[in-house]
Amino acid sequence: MATEEHSVPETKDVYPLLPLRGLLVFPGMVLHFDVGRPKSVRALEQAVANDHLIVLASQEDGQVDDPSADDLYGIGTLARVKQMLKLPNGTIRVLVEGLKRAVLRAFVSEDDLFTVRVETYDEPEDVVVTPAIEAMRRSVTQQFEQYVRLSRKLDLDTYATVVDMSHPGQFADAVASHLPLKVREKQDILEAFDIEKRLERLLQILSDEREVLELERKIHQRVRKQMERTQKEYYLREQMKAIQRELGDKEGRQAEVDELREKLAAKRMPDDVRDRVEKEIARLERIPPASAEGTVVRNYIDWLLALPWLEAAKSTADIARAERILNEEHYGLDKVKERILEFIAVQALTDKQAGPIICLAGPPGVGKTSLARSIAKSLKRPFVRVSLGGVRDEAEIRGHRRTYIGSMPGRILQGMRQASVVNPVFLLDEIDKMASDFRGDPASAMLEVLDPEQNRAFSDHYIEIPYDLSNVLFITTANNVYQIPAPLRDRMEVIQLSGYTEIEKLHIAREHLLPKQRTAHALKGDRIRISDDVLLEVIRHYTREAGVRQLDRQLAAVCRKVARAVAAGDAKRVTVTSGVLQSYLGPHKYEFGEMETEDQVGVVAGLAWTEMGGDLLLVEVSIVPGSGKLVLTGQLGDVMKESAQTALSYVRSRTRALRLPPDFHEKVDIHIHVPEGAIPKDGPSAGITMATALVSALTHVRVRHDVAMTGEITLRGRVLPIGGLKEKSLAAHRAGIRTIVIPKGNVKDLDEVPDLVKSEVEFVPVSHMDEVLRLALVDNPLDHAGGSLADEPWWADVWSDSRFGGGEAHQ
Ligand code: ADP
């Protein structure tokens, strides 16, 4: 027991004792409480029967109902019972006044009631107020004041009375009794007999208490602020709605914003995208309805909501089904179909785009787009097509920043929006027709699209949030693979489609194009009849192409006319004869076979490869008196010009064998004309054609009109292989040519040439220019060593002197 024996006076007495629960009464304190326990009631009764004095001692544990002497603190308060009131429920309400501290020395009785012998302690009257005591008193006053202000639990009067107490000990007790302290803490103060110690302890408790209060206040403030803000926002929103209503904009922005929020809630998207949309909607909400900025923000939100972020098509790759679809929708193309099926098989094994990207290459109308469509159908994925033809600006791929008015995402994300799933089959059409200029390089943007390493996070300037393209199956098409920028081409696996023979076109027309056009024009049953001969007439005289696009269009025109006749009631059904055909489509547009009808001097049928397929290329050479100029006209690329030079050099190297004057090239001007150009890179393959035309013109020997040729030439007349043999032979066959001179090195390519063409055309492989001349010219000038040629060239007299070894002609 922390008693300070020295200051306890020698007054000893015995009093009844009342145990207190959760309560402590300080000397000088008046308060009331209820008493119910029988032992306590008895103690009270005894006190009242004597001198009204009673000892109040707190229980260490308030939970104990029937405390023993050991459950009580050893120091209590001697108090006077001032009033007692029996309540209806049997308990007694008492009013007591604490008098002085009392040290419990011994329990006299414990059973019926507690009586106890105590030593009471009077507070010394004249305390020496040391500076330490005064300092602490001030401190306590200050802290107590703050406590009163913060807690607002005490009224100011009480505060004033407490602070006015002059006795520092009583002051400390009063302060302690007004604080909401635990019994343990109050007991601490009660046990401090020494005033200095009592103040010190109180100070300690007060400052702890104040910290707690401070913290409480802060928490409270924060909570209130938060609530205020929510309320304020709610209030402002309501106000805004009211203003909008006033302005007659009832539906206005709010309705728009509500609708967008609904859409957002229903849309599946990654969290970062959702956050972004939420932010933009909040922004939109604040923008006045008529402002241009509102439109920009609204468009952006629409785009983010419209793009597929997580939606995917349930894709399957069933090879048997794919094969059936490809065969149903396309005639022929066996090798191409085979390659495509292999490709689909690989797709079946992996989810993502596996391996290189397919590039379907070939002339227009050979079915590239429709093959891609079939691939999509086989994989059960949506199909989107974006044309890259003429794209020069990187922004067309990647979009414009939103700062531009009317800016939009690039074509890739436009395609994705159209697809509305993340895994469509995406056709990038005419990737070879992309050009780059000062506005940036679209090819490098395409590289990012097609690169599986990079397309996981494709960046579009408009959308700004990285977009995942890695589930897309990209397919590209090109007319000319060599014009695809090299880094892009490296990523592609080229599947070449070449063009169709007449027979193939006939099949395609009969089995695919015509049925489609019939349905499109609602020509059921046998409303339209058209024989193979007439179909062939369409193919031969109304189209000139490697593919079947014009053919499709002409058939559509025929169906249109028939539909009109049927609808007008002119006929129930129409049999399209050759006459009817000409009345529908006009006179023949193309003469079948472009080959010359007669053998001519200086005109040779070459064969060219173009983006439109193979083509017949008539090379003309004319010789006029002059001074040795070589003139080239027509669509000649630089490469073609070099070929012309090489051909001329070969002819000069054969001057003697051809019995030309040694200086012939100085006396004549040579004019070479190539009417329709092959692509510049294809120039070399006209080498032997130009050489043949040159020799024919110089020697005035005619060229066989039914022979066509293709081959590169060296200075010494060797014939080198060329590309595109299949297309070239198709074109020659179409033109009615029956003999084609080809380089020996190309014999292996004959495998690819359709059997029909091989059966009707003779392919003659050559390795030297001399062989070409022997085959192509009606009379081989090389065989006439010493003799004379059939016809003298009209300009022969120009050099006749030198030709026959002297004399001066035309002085
Ligand atoms: P491309 O994309 O190569 O320019 P398209 O795919 O647009 O050509 O083809 C033009 C038309 O010709 C389409 O209607 C297509 O179905 C049809 N077509 C092309 N090749 C074939 C074929 N082998 N079998 C059936 N139809 C074909």
Side-chain angles (χ1 to χ4, degrees):
M1 256 185 253
T3 57
E4 281 135 56
E5 303 280 345
H6 63 273
S7 59
V8 179
E10 283 297 300
T11 50
K12 283 190 185 164
D13 225 333
V14 176
Y15 300 100
L17 177 144
L18 188 105
L20 295 178
R21 299 205 273 190
L23 196 69
L24 189 146
V25 179
F26 280 98
M29 220 178 124
V30 178
L31 88 170
H32 58 71
F33 52 86
D34 296 345
V35 179
R37 291 186 282 188
K39 234 169 157 178
S40 304
V41 173
R42 279 194 287 278
L44 260 181
E45 282 166 349
Q46 195 177 80
V48 173
N50 294 320
D51 48 6
H52 284 79
L53 293 180
I54 192 164
V55 172
L56 304 174
S58 299
Q59 278 177 224
E60 287 182 23
D61 181 358
Q63 304 291 336
V64 179
D65 258 348
D66 186 14
S68 65
D70 289 344
D71 291 325
L72 303 172
Y73 284 114
I75 295 178
T77 310
L78 182 65
R80 172 179 292 121
V81 179
K82 300 187 80 165
Q83 263 178 24
M84 258 179 57
L85 182 66
K86 277 209 164 99
L87 296 177
N89 63 359
T91 57
I92 297 171
R93 177 157 298 172
V94 290
L95 184 72
V96 299
E97 181 190 8
L99 298 175
K100 43 186 155 183
R101 285 173 163 72
V103 181
L104 280 49
R105 286 297 179 204
F107 279 81
V108 179
S109 74
E110 286 188 42
D111 299 337
D112 257 3
L113 77 161
F114 286 116
T115 47
V116 64
R117 181 182 304 283
V118 294
E119 236 175 75
T120 55
Y121 168 81
D122 282 307
E123 204 79 60
E125 280 299 320
D126 40 0
V127 193
V128 187
V129 179
T130 60
I133 289 182
E134 183 54 29
M136 282 193 287
R137 184 196 159 101
R138 283 188 197 169
S139 239
V140 169
T141 310
Q142 220 176 35
Q143 304 241 13
F144 185 54
E145 184 193 333
Q146 280 183 7
Y147 167 79
V148 170
R149 251 192 311 125
L150 288 176
S151 74
R152 294 180 198 169
K153 275 181 193 144
L154 277 185
D155 58 84
L156 284 175
D157 282 350
T158 322
Y159 166 74
T161 338
V162 171
V163 173
D164 272 354
M165 292 174 126
S166 53
H167 192 285
Q170 287 166 0
F171 165 76
D173 285 349
V175 171
S177 69
H178 282 110
L179 292 177
L181 303 181
K182 293 190 196 81
V183 172
R184 170 73 253 164
E185 288 165 333
K186 288 190 173 178
Q187 185 71 29
D188 261 2
I189 290 177
L190 187 68
E191 288 179 7
F193 287 75
D194 181 73
I195 292 171
E196 218 175 299
K197 279 221 174 90
R198 198 181 305 167
L199 280 169
E200 199 181 303
R201 218 165 271 179
L202 185 60
L203 208 53
Q204 177 69 46
I205 293 173
L206 263 175
S207 70
D208 287 354
E209 189 65 19
R210 206 175 52 101
E211 240 168 66
V212 173
L213 270 178
E214 192 70 34
L215 211 66
E216 254 179 29
R217 192 180 60 94
K218 273 192 189 146
I219 293 172
H220 182 73
Q221 265 181 356
R222 213 164 30 212
V223 172
R224 211 180 52 193
K225 235 189 218 156
Q226 178 69 38
M227 273 173 56
E228 273 171 7
R229 204 176 45 228
T230 327
Q231 265 174 355
K232 190 169 143 199
E233 274 180 15
Y234 172 77
Y235 174 72
L236 286 177
R237 248 186 254 283
E238 287 299 306
Q239 218 172 21
M240 194 157 69
K241 276 189 207 163
I243 292 173
Q244 278 168 355
R245 259 197 301 277
E246 275 310 302
L247 290 173
D249 191 18
K250 206 179 230 158
E251 297 302 301
R253 182 109 308 159
Q254 199 53 45
E256 182 183 2
V257 163
D258 289 348
E259 188 192 329
L260 288 175
R261 288 216 165 94
E262 256 170 50
K263 270 194 195 160
L264 176 62
K267 172 88 181 171
R268 290 176 56 211
M269 48 169 60
D271 288 344
D272 55 334
V273 184
R274 189 176 297 282
D275 287 352
R276 184 63 184 260
V277 179
E278 266 164 15
K279 263 190 211 132
E280 295 291 330
I281 293 180
R283 216 176 115 201
L284 183 66
E285 208 167 9
R286 291 192 302 269
I287 300 174
S291 94
E293 197 195 349
T295 323
V296 174
V297 175
R298 171 71 210 244
N299 274 345
Y300 184 51
I301 296 172
D302 283 346
W303 267 100
L304 292 183
L305 287 174
L307 276 176
W309 295 95
L310 298 167
E311 293 93 344
K314 264 214 177 107
S315 171
T316 54
D318 173 349
I319 307 295
R321 191 182 119 91
E323 188 169 5
R324 205 185 63 236
I325 290 173
L326 281 175
N327 282 332
E328 265 168 24
E329 296 182 349
H330 299 93
Y331 173 84
L333 299 173
D334 293 343
K335 272 193 191 159
V336 173
K337 287 177 185 165
E338 198 67 22
R339 292 274 293 278
I340 289 177
L341 284 175
E342 284 166 16
F343 175 77
I344 290 178
V346 176
Q347 296 308 313
L349 300 177
T350 52
D351 268 354
K352 307 258 162 175
Q353 173 127 23
I357 282 132
I358 277 195
C359 175
L360 297 167
V366 290
K368 301 183 295 294
T369 311
S370 74
L371 279 170
R373 226 180 264 280
S374 297
I375 294 177
K377 194 167 160 191
S378 329
L379 293 171
K380 289 196 181 156
R381 296 196 195 189
F383 177 79
V384 277
R385 170 174 173 268
V386 160
S387 177
L388 298 175
V391 167
R392 313 182 140 265
D393 190 345
E394 192 195 355
E396 292 193 49
I397 306 291
R398 257 191 222 290
H400 287 284
R401 292 187 193 288
R402 264 177 294 129
T403 40
Y404 293 98
I405 296 287
S407 49
M408 277 219 289
R411 295 194 186 191
I412 301 298
L413 290 195
Q414 287 183 30
M416 291 312 292
R417 177 177 182 166
Q418 205 188 325
S420 71
V421 292
V422 295
N423 59 345
V425 170
F426 200 127
L427 186 71
L428 297 163
D429 218 359
E430 302 194 309
I431 199 161
D432 56 332
K433 298 287 188 295
M434 238 168 21
S436 63
D437 64 10
F438 63 94
R439 280 168 292 197
D441 185 4
S444 70
M446 278 316 297
L447 210 55
E448 190 184 321
V449 171
L450 297 179
D451 184 352
E453 296 293 319
Q454 294 183 55
N455 69 10
R456 211 164 288 280
F458 172 68
S459 66
D460 183 282
H461 294 323
Y462 182 88
I463 294 295
E464 276 178 3
I465 307 166
Y467 190 87
D468 184 357
L469 290 172
S470 64
N471 296 298
V472 179
L473 180 66
F474 286 107
I475 297 179
T476 60
T477 78
N479 293 140
N480 180 1
V481 230
Y482 298 100
Q483 268 171 21
I484 304 175
L488 273 178
R489 197 170 59 227
D490 284 351
R491 310 214 167 276
M492 295 181 192
E493 180 183 339
V494 176
I495 298 183
Q496 187 77 45
L497 290 88
S498 314
Y500 300 113
T501 62
E502 273 176 14
I503 299 297
E504 282 172 327
K505 285 182 184 176
L506 195 60
H507 276 286
I508 294 173
R510 166 105 20 242
E511 289 154 31
H512 295 274
L513 304 180
L514 206 51
K516 262 191 262 173
Q517 294 301 349
R518 260 203 192 119
T519 323
H521 293 89
L523 294 170
K524 272 179 266 158
D526 56 357
R527 288 250 163 88
I528 174 170
R529 277 194 217 150
I530 184 163
S531 68
D532 281 0
D533 284 344
V534 176
L535 274 181
L536 211 53
E537 189 177 338
V538 179
I539 293 166
R540 287 180 172 172
H541 296 293
Y542 293 94
T543 73
R544 182 146 182 256
E545 59 177 349
V548 291
R549 196 169 281 173
Q550 277 181 31
L551 177 57
D552 197 23
R553 240 176 271 142
Q554 298 298 353
L555 290 177
V558 170
C559 289
R560 219 163 36 237
K561 305 267 184 193
V562 172
R564 186 170 162 193
V566 172
D570 296 348
K572 270 216 153 81
R573 60 181 62 88
V574 177
T575 304
V576 182
T577 58
S578 177
V580 172
L581 188 68
Q582 291 195 33
S583 74
Y584 283 173
L585 300 180
H588 287 179
K589 289 202 174 91
Y590 303 102
E591 275 321 305
F592 171 60
E594 287 291 300
M595 71 174 180
E596 298 294 295
T597 43
E598 287 170 24
D599 301 342
Q600 293 184 55
V601 167
V603 179
V604 182
L607 291 171
W609 185 90
T610 74
E611 289 172 13
M612 310 291 287
D615 204 359
L616 207 62
L617 188 76
L618 286 178
V619 175
E620 293 171 53
V621 172
S622 75
I623 307 288
V624 290
S627 54
K629 273 188 285 196
L630 178 64
V631 184
L632 298 151
T633 54
Q635 290 183 356
L636 292 160
D638 287 342
V639 184
M640 191 86 91
K641 283 179 190 156
E642 279 169 28
S643 286
Q645 294 282 4
T646 314
L648 181 59
S649 298
Y650 157 76
V651 175
R652 284 179 59 193
S653 76
R654 305 297 279 164
T655 309
R656 277 188 62 173
L658 292 167
R659 301 195 306 125
L660 296 172
D663 55 353
F664 78 91
H665 60 282
E666 286 171 6
K667 301 214 169 142
V668 292
D669 285 348
I670 297 170
H671 183 175
I672 302 182
H673 180 68
V674 184
E676 269 174 69
I679 63 157
K681 280 207 170 79
D682 195 43
S685 70
I688 62 171
T689 319
M690 284 191 277
T692 307
L694 266 173
V695 171
S696 161
L698 287 166
T699 59
H700 217 242
V701 176
R702 278 174 289 123
V703 184
R704 279 175 55 188
H705 69 280
D706 59 349
V707 172
M709 59 185 68
T710 176
E712 197 170 336
I713 187 174
T714 67
L715 285 175
R716 292 156 177 275
R718 282 206 304 126
V719 179
L720 301 181
I722 44 77
L725 184 67
K726 184 179 172 194
E727 289 83 353
K728 288 174 178 172
S729 58
L730 283 173
H733 178 254
R734 193 161 64 225
I737 298 282
R738 290 297 168 256
T739 307
I740 304 179
V741 177
I742 61 166
K744 256 218 174 81
N746 283 109
V747 171
K748 59 176 178 6
D749 300 330
L750 284 172
D751 270 359
E752 297 196 348
V753 175
D755 291 339
L756 175 81
V757 175
K758 276 192 276 199
S759 68
E760 291 181 4
V761 175
E762 186 191 2
F763 288 86
V764 188
V766 296
S767 53
H768 197 275
M769 191 58 213
D770 291 355
E771 297 169 62
V772 181
L773 294 180
R774 209 164 282 141
L775 277 159
L777 299 186
V778 291
D779 189 5
N780 186 2
L782 295 167
D783 293 341
H784 290 271
S788 74
L789 292 169
D791 300 308
E792 285 294 324
W794 62 266
W795 44 265
D797 55 337
V798 173
W799 65 43
S800 57
D801 292 343
S802 52
R803 194 176 177 192
F804 299 107
E808 285 159 315
H810 300 281
Q811 294 296 315

